[in-house]
Amino acid sequence: MSRKLFGTDGVRGQANSGHMTAEVALKLGAAAGRYFRRDNSRGHRVVIGKDTRLSGYMFENALTAGLTSTGMNVLLLGPVPTPAVGYLTRSMRADLGIMISASHNPAKDNGIKFFGPDGFKLSDAAEAEIEAMLDQEIRLAQPENIGRAKRIDDGLGRYVEYAKTTFPKGGRQGLKVVVDCANGAAYRAAPAVLWELGCEVIPVGVSPDGRNINENCGSTHTQTCAEAVVAHGADLGISLDGDADRVMIIDETGHVADGDQIMALFAARWAESGQLRGGALVATVMSNLGLERFLSGRGLRLERTKVGDRYVVERMRAGGFNLGGEQSGHIVMTDYATTGDGLMAGLQFLAAMAETEMRASELVHQFETVPQMLKNVRYRAGQEPLGASNVEKVIAAAELKLAGHGRLLIRKSGTEPLIRVMAECEDETVLHDAVESIVAAVEAETA
């Protein structure tokens, strides 16, 4: 069954246009409610969280209307991180969890992510079934079985307390930490957790106004956090994205470590302590070849998946692995969370600093990266530039140049109308020529 509405991370797009409208959200809520409400018994429950986007109010109300129309009782969490929704869905015995967020995208965008009763994101098959229901007449609840909706105040507190339990007891206290919350979902949770664990906290990006999420801050604009770390003489910077499911770590010098370096550190430490299951780390095709070599040198494997943290999690669950993630900063630790959790990854990095008594700069550089280049080309709806004969010829020529020296990955983004062109090669001249030739060809087709 095909999916047209759902991408690699739920439904996403510009708010109030295309498929990201209140009308579609209403139908999605009703479809999801009917999908998870398999019988007519009472007590069906769904939790809804959101980030700080202005459009979140609109989608929250539309989803609630659709869900209650099928008999689901809705608990509204307000602004909470995406991983909090995964945790609370399972913790509160909900049938369904929903996060309203477009993650690292600008404020004009929004999205809807679904979690099953186990706290994990839905499979492609489940999303396809829900999407198919949008074209059918959805069976509504009898008047006496219409659901209720209410806001709850303790959801954030529950997540804060749980997050603290993932940090080793007796850990090193007093570290000065800059936390950049991207004016997003973690603007309350992240500073609270770090302060209660004994850190001196310098919060950045904690003044959301509905329009400034991810704006010159957060994990996609690490300069803000890096400058704050250096200016305040901090020991560490933790830079989250808009829904706090990804993180970049900044050391005391202002150097930024991406997800690959963080995963390398965790994999090596966990393998040494016996915590790493399956002798492998799960990451996507985007992760650097240097990470693969680093793991191989320690007798560990790199299991690669297609791009998207949900595919990483699916492989982890299928193979019994407990550590995975993406270069972009999704760090998935299924011992602690059902999805990427930027805050908990930051806590694990703090734990490494505490246990080794090493500075962040001594931990963030685990391996030498193979030169990698990534460029994005935007295209318009209806365009299929990768199918053009000239583009195919240029790609074939680039693959020939890279053969035996590197690798090439070209794909459509699952969250934005972009063609992503990525290559790795030890020879940076060959690398640059390969990527630029493909970008030029794709741009010619999209002009």
Side-chain angles (χ1 to χ4, degrees):
M1 196 178 297
S2 64
R3 302 179 311 154
K4 296 180 180 178
L5 198 62
F6 286 87
T8 57
D9 199 15
V11 180
R12 191 177 296 189
Q14 185 171 316
N16 254 0
S17 66
H19 56 260
M20 283 307 299
T21 63
E23 180 184 12
V24 173
L26 175 71
K27 292 179 180 178
L28 264 177
R34 177 49 59 192
Y35 181 83
F36 282 93
R37 191 173 186 263
R38 302 287 189 174
D39 55 56
N40 291 320
S41 63
R42 297 179 184 273
H44 292 276
R45 170 183 280 189
V46 54
V47 295
I48 300 181
K50 63 180 181 178
D51 63 23
T52 56
R53 296 164 206 269
L54 191 62
S55 60
Y57 295 99
M58 177 180 73
F59 290 118
E60 183 182 56
N61 286 323
L63 286 164
T64 298
L67 289 158
T68 53
S69 75
T70 59
M72 300 291 279
N73 294 314
V74 178
L75 301 178
L76 300 169
L77 304 172
V80 295
T82 286
V85 173
Y87 166 70
L88 292 168
T89 300
R90 186 168 57 180
S91 172
M92 301 180 76
R93 290 186 63 189
D95 301 271
L96 169 66
I98 299 176
M99 180 65 181
I100 303 167
S101 174
S103 191
H104 59 283
N105 286 27
K108 66 179 181 180
D109 295 340
N110 216 328
I112 301 169
K113 309 177 189 182
F114 292 97
F115 294 82
D118 57 2
F120 287 94
K121 290 179 181 177
L122 300 187
S123 66
D124 286 353
E127 289 181 344
E129 287 188 54
I130 292 173
E131 186 170 327
M133 293 173 70
L134 299 180
D135 296 324
Q136 306 167 10
E137 185 176 346
I138 297 171
R139 183 163 51 90
L140 303 180
Q142 294 297 313
E144 64 273 17
N145 291 330
I146 292 173
R148 300 174 182 269
K150 67 176 181 179
R151 293 198 174 274
I152 61 171
D153 298 323
D154 69 339
L156 182 66
R158 289 189 187 205
Y159 172 72
V160 165
E161 286 304 311
Y162 174 66
K164 286 160 56 180
T165 67
T166 67
F167 188 76
K169 291 184 178 179
R172 184 175 166 197
Q173 297 185 351
L175 289 176
K176 184 184 288 190
V177 180
V178 172
V179 59
D180 184 347
C181 301
N183 291 316
Y187 80 99
R188 291 183 295 171
V193 168
L194 291 165
W195 186 84
E196 290 176 17
L197 286 173
C199 296
E200 180 183 344
V201 182
I202 296 109
V204 174
V206 291
S207 302
D209 62 10
R211 299 179 178 87
N212 62 357
I213 188 170
N214 298 315
E215 187 177 80
N216 298 321
C217 57
S219 64
T220 54
H221 190 87
T222 51
Q223 182 180 350
T224 298
C225 188
E227 289 175 352
V229 167
V230 174
H232 290 275
D235 299 294
L236 179 69
I238 298 173
S239 189
L240 306 170
D241 71 334
D243 67 335
D245 65 351
R246 64 169 73 180
V247 66
M248 293 288 174
I249 295 293
I250 292 92
D251 70 19
E252 74 279 4
T253 71
H255 174 79
V256 180
D258 65 11
D260 282 351
Q261 296 287 355
I262 300 168
M263 288 188 290
L265 171 66
F266 292 178
R269 285 176 49 78
W270 287 18
E272 187 176 341
S273 67
Q275 185 180 348
L276 187 71
R277 292 204 300 268
L281 167 72
V282 181
T284 75
V285 291
M286 297 294 288
S287 279
N288 194 274
L289 184 59
L291 173 61
E292 192 166 350
R293 293 172 177 172
F294 171 85
L295 295 171
S296 178
R298 286 155 181 77
L300 304 173
R301 302 190 315 281
L302 179 64
E303 298 264 338
R304 290 189 186 267
T305 72
K306 56 184 177 180
V307 174
D309 66 302
R310 58 203 297 267
Y311 301 117
V312 170
V313 173
E314 286 176 5
R315 180 72 189 98
M316 290 172 67
R317 298 179 75 189
F321 308 115
N322 62 342
L323 180 62
E326 295 190 279
Q327 185 185 64
S328 59
H330 287 113
I331 310 297
V332 184
M333 302 170 291
T334 50
D335 290 351
Y336 308 119
T338 59
T339 186
D341 192 315
L343 175 58
M344 288 189 193
L347 295 182
Q348 287 298 306
F349 193 92
L350 275 171
M353 292 180 66
E355 291 167 7
T356 63
E357 297 189 352
M358 296 172 71
R359 295 189 301 273
S361 58
E362 299 174 277
L363 296 174
V364 295
H365 190 77
Q366 293 292 306
F367 63 88
E368 294 296 331
T369 58
V370 173
Q372 188 179 77
M373 187 174 178
L374 170 65
K375 285 209 166 185
N376 299 319
V377 184
R378 190 167 294 274
Y379 64 92
R380 295 187 298 276
Q383 291 185 319
E384 295 292 340
L386 294 182
S389 59
N390 184 56
V391 173
E392 290 177 341
K393 288 179 183 177
V394 173
I395 291 173
E399 287 176 335
L400 192 61
K401 285 182 182 178
L402 291 168
H405 305 286
R407 64 191 185 102
L408 178 67
L409 177 67
I410 302 168
R411 66 181 186 89
K412 283 184 176 180
S413 168
T415 58
E416 299 176 83
L418 298 173
I419 301 295
R420 302 195 190 278
V421 182
M422 190 277 282
E424 286 179 333
C425 186
E426 298 284 3
D427 187 325
E428 294 194 49
T429 300
V430 173
L431 172 67
H432 182 271
D433 289 347
V435 172
E436 292 295 350
S437 65
I438 296 169
V439 167
V442 173
E443 286 178 338
E445 290 296 326
T446 58

